[in-house]
């Protein structure tokens, strides 16, 4: 009886194997939906060019983010140093090239620096300005000079960036 059962089992397995369909390789359409990859940047990553505000001015300036610059710089017109109550001050005008908004500032002189360039040295005053960058408001030092030959009216240097932002030069305009 055991031999008969073994023989029936072998016949059954052979019959099942004969009924199986043969698999032919081919191109299989992608039935899996690919998920959209969303890159989330940390809040403190900014790009090579950002919009920065200088209150009380209402319109933002396009600023070049420059990790190689020690001090931030600002394009100003009619830069004049003067004395007020025995202290040195600086008067200058800022005109937003994009919007035409104009504001005259009078700020105490923090110090003067010499910028060394090929062929000439340039003396620039440093003043403290109110800055709004993203959602943060703070004070920062800027050199003030006529920068009309530069593409950007403001250059944001390490004095603003250190401890505040990481720069990714492959992106721009990340700040609201």
């Amino acid at each position: 009886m055991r031999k008969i059962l073994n023989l029936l089992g072998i016949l059954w397995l052979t019959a099942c194997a004969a009924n199986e369909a043969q698999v032919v390789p081919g191109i299989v359409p992608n039935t899996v939906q690919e998920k959209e990859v969303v890159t989330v940047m940390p809040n403190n990553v900014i790009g090579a060019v950002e919009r920065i505000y200088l209150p009380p001015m209402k319109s933002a300036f396009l600023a070049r983010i420059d990790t190689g610059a020690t001090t931030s710089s600002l394009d100003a017109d009619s830069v004049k140093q003067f004395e007020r109550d025995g202290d040195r001050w600086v008067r200058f005008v800022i005109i937003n090239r994009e919007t035409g908004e104009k504001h005259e500032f009078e700020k105490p002189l923090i110090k003067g620096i010499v910028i060394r360039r090929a062929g000439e040295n340039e003396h620039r005053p440093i003043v403290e300005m109110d800055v709004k960058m993203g959602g943060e408001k703070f004070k920062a030092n800027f050199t003030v000079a006529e920068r009309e030959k530069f593409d950007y009216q403001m250059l944001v240097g390490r004095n603003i960036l250190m401890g505040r932002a990481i720069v990714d030069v492959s992106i721009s305009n990340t700040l609201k």
Side-chain angles (χ1 to χ4, degrees), residues 4-89:
I4 294 176
L5 286 177
N6 283 341
L7 184 61
L8 286 175
I10 292 172
L11 288 174
W12 183 73
L13 286 174
T14 306
C16 289
N19 288 334
E20 282 186 27
Q22 290 198 358
V23 177
V24 178
I27 298 175
V28 179
N30 184 5
T31 57
V32 178
Q33 290 184 354
E34 292 183 21
K35 293 182 181 179
E36 182 180 340
V37 176
V38 177
T39 303
V40 178
M41 301 297 271
N43 289 340
N44 63 336
V45 173
I46 63 173
V49 176
E50 293 293 345
R51 294 196 170 276
I52 310 291
Y53 291 86
L54 296 174
M57 296 184 78
K58 304 284 186 235
S59 54
F61 291 87
L62 276 178
R64 165 66 70 196
I65 309 303
D66 185 354
T67 60
T70 303
T71 305
S72 299
S73 184
L74 184 59
D75 174 33
D77 292 332
S78 307
V79 179
K80 302 280 189 253
Q81 293 188 36
F82 64 98
E83 192 174 307
R84 177 182 287 161
D85 299 326
D87 295 324
R88 293 171 53 197
W89 284 63

Side-chain angles (χ1 to χ4, degrees), residues 88-106:
R88 293 171 53 197
W89 284 63
V90 182
R91 178 182 299 120
F92 53 95
V93 176
I94 298 178
I95 303 169
N96 189 315
R97 292 181 200 158
E98 289 184 304
T99 66
E101 182 183 1
K102 179 178 180 178
H103 189 80
E104 182 175 276
F105 289 89
E106 288 186 353

